[in-house]
């Protein structure tokens, strides 16, 4: 029997090898340099491969879906149709790293039929000069109403050796790990974006776009450099259940000749649907301070009691400071009744509409209004999403009525530890932060918030896949280790963390990193792994349309010149460029203000000092600029008391000038370039 099967397989293989000679479908990017080819293996499994400049990037890799209740959509396929299309469009972002985005692609839609079952499966490929996206489309078909997906077999076989920067997928701390740097064949299971630099300098990042009503994709290394899409789990049998017809999220591969091409890349945004919310002029970028870092310093508590941080009196004190220093928003955490007790799972006691007795919500909002300072609302769920959903509309309505226009949400819980509504009243089931249930939940929150013209900043989120294009009120999120880790030397992010984020987490979208700890001090005076100039640089290097000045007011007040920079630095950009950098080592970004002719530069380095040559090629050649430079003092070093040494100076510059700036170990630089009269 076995022998017969082997012979049959060999015969099949011979036939298929002959048939294999030519792919069944091909397409290329608008510049003609990136090509894909679609093929079948001897068992009728669909393979795709990608090359750029005739060099292989993705070796033949499988496509298909495993089901929980039927024969997998993996083998035995034939191609029953293909169509091509092209697009070249320009669309406007309501806010962002750049004002206008070009969406220029060639498309190939391939329609397959599984011969043994008659089932239909399509794969749509879109090729851009900046990378490739593809997604599954499952059309309506007789006898199949809902698809129950156990997992994907989608593979990414990286064809050439290189280095990868990645975070572990499926571990308890969600996305809050330091990035690993390993050879590509040293990756285990990774979250996306996963960034790779091939040995010839080509940069790749595998990620996804438009993660809607579906489980997130992790990348599980099968062997060598071959990865398989592994979907985030669900407490239900299938990881994803979808009524037909439906389309999966796009699986994306950014492809760039260098680091700048990886960063200045709108692949995922272009693969998301346009704005669904209509007029979103009510979504406005802003800067804020918060009753927040003082909790990390142990000065006050989120919970009620003698050290409660969220009191009416403290809120007034912060509002006065915000008004004096030009901040128009204030975050207050811990005012909701029920915060006392454990963080994990505490959410079932929290009331998002009732305050502790020492906090008068309306009085705080009224006081803020007189001073031109808006409250940022807070919805911490403690991971109890079922409880949150039960009060979602009332909680949004309360803030809506009071004129609050932004809310920070939070899902503090271990991975797999979210409470979702169960099938029976009162029952719960446990879910993951990045599973199908949460991808639906976040859209529910965005839609509820949009009804009250409220923007959302999600902490402990699902990863960003460019949905801000469709829901422009999803202004920011966490989704990586932020500044809060620097509050204690026990947890701190090493200086290489932020220059790694620029090329990994930040490819996904804005991050609420919360810079601006000008004291460079955490709990018990623990020194931060940063120089003072670097705190300013972070406002430019790590993009978010909402940026915090995170230190406590009495510390911020001690640094008036630096505070001035924070007040001036824009949060909404006309254009953004990576002008120098190497993944995980350093990054220098230049951004042009959307509302003036000013440019800003922010540079950050790891624990090595670096001299960077700025050439200002991006400036308007017809103008001369006055540069205000915030750079590390010559002896500055994040490891010693010199971390506060900063030089602030002004110079005239124009396009083509050269300026060498030294960044200290753990340091950075920030520049404001303002056209001189
Ligand atoms: C963790 C978040 O990252 C932090 O910003 C927040 O203050 C706490 N959760 C409490 O909500």
């Amino acid at each position: 029997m076995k022998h017969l099967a082997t012979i049959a397989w060999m015969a099949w293989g011979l036939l298929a090898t002959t048939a294999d000679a030519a792919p069944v479908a091909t397409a290329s990017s608008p510049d003609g340099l990136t090509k894909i080819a679609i093929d079948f293996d001897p068992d009728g499994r669909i393979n795709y491969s990608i090359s750029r400049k005739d060099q292989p990037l993705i070796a033949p890799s499988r496509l298909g879906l495993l089901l929980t209740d039927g024969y997998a959509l993996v083998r035995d396929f034939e191609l029953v149709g293909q169509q091509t299309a092209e697009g070249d469009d320009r669309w406007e972002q309501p806010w962002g790293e750049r004002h206008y985005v070009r969406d220029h692609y060639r498309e190939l839609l391939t329609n397959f039929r599984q011969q043994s079952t008659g089932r239909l499966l399509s794969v749509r490929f879109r090729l851009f000069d900046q990378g490739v996206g593809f997604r599954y489309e499952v059309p309506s078909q007789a006898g199949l109403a809902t698809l129950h997906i156990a997992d994907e077999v989608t593979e990414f076989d990286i064809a050439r050796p290189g280095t990868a920067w990645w975070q572990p997928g499926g571990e308890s701390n969600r996305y809050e790990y330091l990035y690993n740097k390993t050879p590509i064949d040293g990756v285990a299971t990774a979250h996306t974006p996963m960034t790779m630099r091939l040995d010839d300098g080509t940069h790749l990042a595998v990620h996804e776009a438009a993660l809607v009503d579906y489980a997130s994709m992790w990348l599980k290394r099968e062997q060598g450099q071959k990865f398989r899409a592994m979907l985030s789990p669900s407490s239900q049998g299938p990881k994803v259940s979808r009524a037909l017809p439906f389309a999966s999220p796009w699986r994306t591969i950014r492809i760039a000749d260098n680091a700048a091409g990886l960063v200045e890349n709108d692949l995922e945004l272009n693969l998301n649907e346009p704005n669904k919310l209509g007029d979103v002029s009510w979504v406005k970028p802003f800067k804020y301070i918060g009753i927040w870092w003082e909790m990390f310093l142990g000065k006050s508590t989120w919970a009620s009691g003698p050290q409660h941080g969220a009191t009416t009196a403290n809120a007034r004190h912060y509002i006065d400071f915000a008004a004096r220093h030009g901040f128009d928003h204030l975050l207050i955490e811990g005012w909701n009744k029920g915060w006392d007790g454990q963080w994990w799972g505490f959410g079932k006691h929290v009331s998002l509409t009732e305050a502790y007795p020492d906090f008068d919500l309306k009085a705080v909002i009224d006081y803020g209004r007189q001073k031109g300072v808006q409250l940022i609302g807070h919805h911490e769920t403690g991971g109890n999403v079922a409880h949150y959903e039960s009060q979602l509309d009332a909680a949004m309505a309360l803030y809506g009525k009071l004129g609050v226009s932004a809310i920070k949400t939070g899902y503090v819980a271990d991975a797999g530890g979210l409470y979702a509504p169960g099938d029976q009243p009162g029952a719960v089931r446990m879910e993951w932060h990045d599973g199908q249930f949460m991808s639906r939940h976040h859209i529910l929150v965005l839609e509820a918030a949009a009804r009250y013209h409220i923007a959302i900043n999600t902490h402990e989120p699902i990863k960003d896949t460019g949905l801000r294009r469709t829901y422009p009120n999803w202004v920011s999120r966490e989704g990586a280790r932020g500044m809060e880790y620097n509050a204690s030397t026990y947890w701190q992010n090493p200086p290489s963390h932020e220059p790694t984020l620029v090329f990994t987490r930040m490819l996904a979208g804005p991050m609420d990193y919360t810079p601006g700890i000008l004291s460079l001090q955490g709990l018990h005076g623990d020194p931060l792994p940063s120089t003072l100039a670097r705190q300013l640089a972070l406002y430019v290097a790590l993009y978010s349309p909402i940026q915090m000045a995170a230190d406590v007011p009495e510390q911020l007040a001690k640094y008036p010149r630096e505070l001035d920079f924070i007040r001036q630095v824009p949060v909404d950009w006309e254009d953004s460029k990576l002008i120098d950098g190497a993944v995980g080592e350093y990054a220098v970004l230049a951004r042009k203000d959307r509302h003036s002719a000013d440019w800003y530069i922010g540079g950050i380095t790891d624990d090595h000092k670096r001299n960077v040559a700025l050439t200002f090629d991006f400036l308007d050649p017809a103008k001369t600029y006055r540069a205000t430079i915030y750079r590390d003092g010559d002896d500055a070093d994040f490891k010693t008391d010199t971390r506060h040494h900063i030089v602030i100076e002004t110079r005239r510059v124009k396009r083509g000038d050269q300026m060498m700036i030294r960044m200290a170990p753990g340091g950075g630089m920030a520049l404001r370039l303002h056209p001189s009269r």
Side-chain angles (χ1 to χ4, degrees), residues 521-656:
Q521 271 178 25
L523 184 66
H524 311 312
D526 278 3
L528 260 63
S530 169
T531 64
L532 184 54
R534 180 191 184 90
Q535 290 298 310
L536 306 184
L538 290 171
Y539 288 89
V540 185
L542 302 181
Y543 169 67
S544 174
I546 63 169
Q547 289 278 22
M548 186 177 202
D551 214 337
V552 293
E554 49 279 24
Q555 290 293 354
L556 291 173
K558 290 183 188 161
Y559 302 89
R561 298 177 309 165
E562 291 77 8
L563 204 51
D564 224 34
F565 175 86
I566 298 176
R567 198 175 42 73
Q568 281 174 349
V569 67
V571 277
D572 196 14
W573 304 101
E574 186 65 28
D575 199 5
S576 296
K577 293 169 182 304
L578 182 89
I579 55 174
D580 204 352
V583 185
E585 294 174 22
Y586 71 109
V588 186
L589 286 108
R591 302 191 196 267
K592 182 176 176 295
D593 182 13
R594 193 182 281 203
H595 306 287
S596 77
D598 293 355
W599 279 84
Y600 283 77
I601 295 177
I604 49 179
T605 176
D606 58 10
D607 52 1
H608 294 94
K609 61 174 188 269
R610 263 169 232 282
N611 286 313
V612 174
L614 301 176
T615 55
F616 306 105
D617 315 333
F618 45 85
L619 293 179
D620 180 343
K623 293 191 166 83
T624 302
Y625 295 76
R626 180 186 147 95
T628 311
I629 303 160
Y630 303 77
R631 64 175 173 87
D632 292 322
D634 293 339
D635 60 345
D637 188 324
F638 81 101
K639 291 187 286 309
T640 70
D641 286 345
T642 57
R643 65 181 68 81
H644 268 109
H645 292 186
I646 190 169
V647 175
I648 304 177
E649 57 193 358
T650 57
R651 289 195 222 164
R652 275 179 187 284
V653 295
K654 55 185 185 332
R655 185 184 173 122

Side-chain angles (χ1 to χ4, degrees), residues 67-82:
L67 308 180
T68 55
D69 57 354
Y71 189 59
L73 296 173
V74 172
R75 289 169 186 267
D76 192 21
F77 279 104
E78 60 176 344
L79 183 72
V80 293
Q82 57 177 298

